[in-house]
Amino acid sequence: MGGLLMAFNVTEVLEIPIGVGDITVERILYFAVILMVGVIIAKVVATNVRRVLAERLPKNERELLTKLVYYIIVVWAFVVALPQLNFDLSGLLVAGGNRRSGHRFCEPERRLQPDLGGSF
């Protein structure tokens, strides 16, 4: 057999950079797997919520609650998977936390001044 024999190395394929930055095929696959697991968990939980609340809530409210639970879990899975694409949410969390404390610095400072009985 005098033909060419090509070795297929999986780790080399997974480490191929895609697009801008150091996002690789491996990172995209991890992102997809985390998202798929999240969707599967969301479907299982939503089905159980629908089944448990079948007798307790009217259909409209039950379906609304089921969809809310489903989408909360899917969004949570998406947020958990984002670091695989080098998207760090910690900057947004810090900015959101500082918004409130930063607001205090903009307020005028209030100090208690003793009443000395005279005018200065």
Side-chain angles (χ1 to χ4, degrees), residues 56-67:
R56 297 181 183 168
L57 289 176
K59 185 176 180 181
N60 290 340
E61 292 176 10
R62 182 179 65 235
E63 291 302 316
L64 181 65
L65 186 62
T66 301
K67 286 180 183 179

Side-chain angles (χ1 to χ4, degrees), residues 6 10-11 20-21 25 30 32 34 39 41 49 55 60 67-68 70 73 77 82-83 87 91 95 112 115:
M6 294 180 64
V10 175
T11 56
V20 180
V25 174
Y30 281 141
I34 292 170
V39 168
I41 291 172
V49 166
E55 300 295 324
N60 290 340
K67 286 180 183 179
L68 182 68
Y70 175 81
I73 295 172
L82 276 178
F87 191 82
L112 294 176
D115 185 16

Side-chain angles (χ1 to χ4, degrees), residues 37-114:
V37 168
V39 168
I40 291 169
I41 291 172
K43 283 191 178 279
V44 169
V45 171
T47 302
N48 286 331
V49 166
R50 182 179 292 120
R51 190 170 37 110
V52 167
L53 298 176
E55 300 295 324
R56 297 181 183 168
L57 289 176
K59 185 176 180 181
N60 290 340
E61 292 176 10
R62 182 179 65 235
E63 291 302 316
L64 181 65
L65 186 62
T66 301
K67 286 180 183 179
L68 182 68
V69 167
Y70 175 81
Y71 285 115
I72 286 174
I73 295 172
V74 168
V75 167
W76 175 78
F78 184 75
V79 169
V80 168
L82 276 178
Q84 294 301 322
L85 300 179
N86 292 338
F87 191 82
D88 190 17
L89 294 176
S90 64
L92 294 176
L93 294 174
V94 169
N98 284 341
R99 181 185 66 82
R100 187 172 182 139
S101 63
H103 182 66
R104 278 192 215 144
F105 294 119
C106 297
E107 291 178 359
E109 196 171 310
R110 298 179 188 158
R111 293 186 182 183
L112 294 176
Q113 296 180 353

